[in-house]
Amino acid sequence: MAMFRSLVASAQQRQHPPAGAPASAPQPPAGPGAGGESSLEAQYSCPICLEVYHRPVAIGSCGHTFCGECLQPCLQVPSPLCPLCRMPFDPKKVDKASNVEKQLSSYKAPCRGCSKKVTLAKMRSHISSCMKVQEQMANCPKFVPVVPTSQPIPSNIPNRSTFVCPYCGARNLDQQELVKHCMENHRNDPNRVVCPICSAMPWGDPSYKSANFLQHLLHRHKFSYDTFVDYNIDEEAAFQAALALSLSEN
């Protein structure tokens, strides 16, 4: 954990230029007295994966550098934000960080396992085969949850978020997707089926089959029950509460 915090802090200090100064590529330490080779690997590590850059790219607006593969998920959303400073950026203005790649090929740092000096560009492949590093990883303490919850995990709560198509068995359909799926694929199916939405409700009858399931879907399930229904009360109590609310509003 201490190493993780150190790497993140180093990345943030490295990639935030002084106010008014343009962002630039990481600069190597002045020498051992200023951190030297021991901090060189951290200085050229991606803030996302915390490993030495691999095919680095730089965001044009803020200048922050990441592994090309690490930044890819951010480029898939309509309005991407820099993972480090959260500043919006234009995905078309993300360029290959050629200067960083040259520095990765020029500088060497000691392996954190065997202490052998390795070119930063080859550090990843070296670490993956270094027996000392593998031993260190094997001896790392296993993750243990902070404090187990004392609350029992209920196992009998029905799934009211996704449903199975009663015609073909298509799974993981939310309410709107179920309506769309049935309209597109089962519009002319004459079979009587059980409504999976109704049967998941506390008042639902899992044996009742709708004579016209599509019309039932369109008229009965135009809204989500989650918005209006308290599942902890029965149908009669829900009806009385809705009636009282209606009279109070009128």
Side-chain angles (χ1 to χ4, degrees), residues 25-187:
Q27 297 299 317
E37 294 173 339
S38 62
S39 66
L40 195 57
E41 182 182 347
Q43 190 170 350
Y44 283 88
S45 293
C46 170
I48 296 177
C49 67
L50 302 180
E51 296 288 347
V52 173
Y53 290 124
H54 178 63
R55 297 178 181 174
V57 295
I59 296 174
S61 56
C62 63
H64 290 146
T65 307
F66 306 91
C67 297
E69 186 175 348
C70 291
L71 192 63
Q72 272 302 311
C74 296
L75 304 179
Q76 308 304 317
V77 299
S79 301
L81 302 175
C82 171
L84 195 60
C85 66
R86 313 306 296 166
M87 180 178 176
F89 69 91
D90 184 349
K92 295 179 181 178
K93 295 182 179 179
V94 174
D95 300 312
K96 181 179 178 181
S98 301
N99 55 337
V100 176
E101 276 198 316
K102 291 179 182 178
Q103 292 166 354
L104 291 174
S105 300
S106 301
Y107 303 136
K108 290 186 176 182
C111 167
R112 56 181 178 262
C114 65
S115 300
K116 177 183 177 180
K117 286 189 178 180
V118 183
T119 304
L120 289 176
K122 298 180 179 179
M123 185 65 77
R124 282 188 180 226
S125 59
H126 172 80
I127 286 176
S128 65
S129 59
C130 177
M131 295 303 298
K132 289 287 187 180
V133 173
Q134 302 307 316
E135 289 175 8
Q136 291 173 359
M137 294 175 64
N139 293 328
C140 283
K142 303 299 182 183
F143 172 77
V144 178
V146 182
V147 178
T149 177
S150 59
Q151 299 297 320
I153 300 176
S155 58
N156 59 344
I157 297 179
N159 176 14
R160 300 188 181 109
S161 301
T162 59
F163 307 96
V164 176
C165 172
Y167 289 116
C168 67
R171 306 177 68 83
N172 298 321
L173 302 170
D174 64 22
Q175 187 167 309
Q176 292 181 340
E177 289 171 342
L178 177 64
V179 174
K180 181 180 179 182
H181 169 82
C182 290
M183 291 300 295
E184 292 178 351
N185 299 283
H186 306 293
R187 183 183 290 271

